[in-house]
Amino acid sequence: MTSKNAPALQELAQDFREALRHSVYLVRRLDADGEPSAAQLSTLKMLLEDGVRVGEIARNLGVRVPSATEQVIKLERAGLARREADPDDSRAVRVVLTAQGRDAVESANRRRNAVMAGILESLTDDDRRALAAALPVIEKINSTLQN
Amino acid sequence: MTSKNAPALQELAQDFREALRHSVYLVRRLDADGEPSAAQLSTLKMLLEDGVRVGEIARNLGVRVPSATEQVIKLERAGLARREADPDDSRAVRVVLTAQGRDAVESANRRRNAVMAGILESLTDDDRRALAAALPVIEKINSTLQN
DNA sequence: CCTAATAGTTAGGTAACCTAAATGCAACCG
DNA sequence: CGGTTGCATTTAGGTTACCTAACTATTAGG
């Protein structure tokens, strides 16, 4: 079976890329008005662990620091997060969720999960098993990002 | 095992969303300068089948018609596609790839596949098998989009 | 100390989406 | 056959989320 591996790798790469390419549009479908955007939710989720620095957010999301700053400012204006001075390093900033921010993450997650669950409902048990088995692999691939 | 299904659905939805959320950043990593963007590649790939209408592109990608128009105009300016009058319906437009456009799709795909293959290389055989098994499922989910 | 590195913000730009409105053609109806 | 209705597309004007370059403030090292 090892002889099948080299060609399969190229094909797998192609198919996986294709699947991700299409998934971008799926993810957009989960957005709703009056709810933090996907990018903001990504930032908010990071903040569930308290006192995160702007640079950490950027690194974790794979974006540049100014993009993270921008998101944090938007969250702050929306009353979902607060910027606090870092006691140890006064160059740094600690971003923390407000209670409202915590609620926003939770309710957005609930709603989005429900929509997704509705979609997954139409799959067969075998399909769901196959999907579940692949998710840790996909996360492993995604963690390649962190460099 | 049916009793395990209802809770598993919520959890699967959550995990799948999480994986896709992270994958957005992975996909961005595959971009390179001097190459059509991911959105443009999506449009170009549709054009591999000749004489596609703007509305079809939009529907297929899950975006609004003006967004498709915009992409087509950009491709045209880049010399990668051409807009032709539809002989049967003069309201409509047929978008076709130029030879240069065809080359651009192919070489961008080759390069992007190679990068992805490099990432997948570090997986175990089992991982790759699990991923391969899930891709048709993911495509099935994505096709939910088409409405 | 002073210089180099680090953390973050500001300024200005681009890509890719959106809605609403305009244009131009087709098709149907009386 | 003329008028209305509807469809395909473009134009105009926004928004969001990214980017690079340049600036400020603070820390740390020689």
Side-chain angles (χ1 to χ4, degrees), chain B residues 53 84-87 89-94:
Chain B
R53 291 167 64 153
E84 298 179 349
D86 185 316
D89 183 343
S90 41
R91 293 169 304 179
V93 162
R94 295 278 167 187

Side-chain angles (χ1 to χ4, degrees), chain B residues 37 63-64 67 70 74 89-91:
Chain B
S37 66
V63 299
R64 302 293 166 184
S67 306
E70 191 182 344
K74 278 185 186 171
D89 183 343
S90 41
R91 293 169 304 179

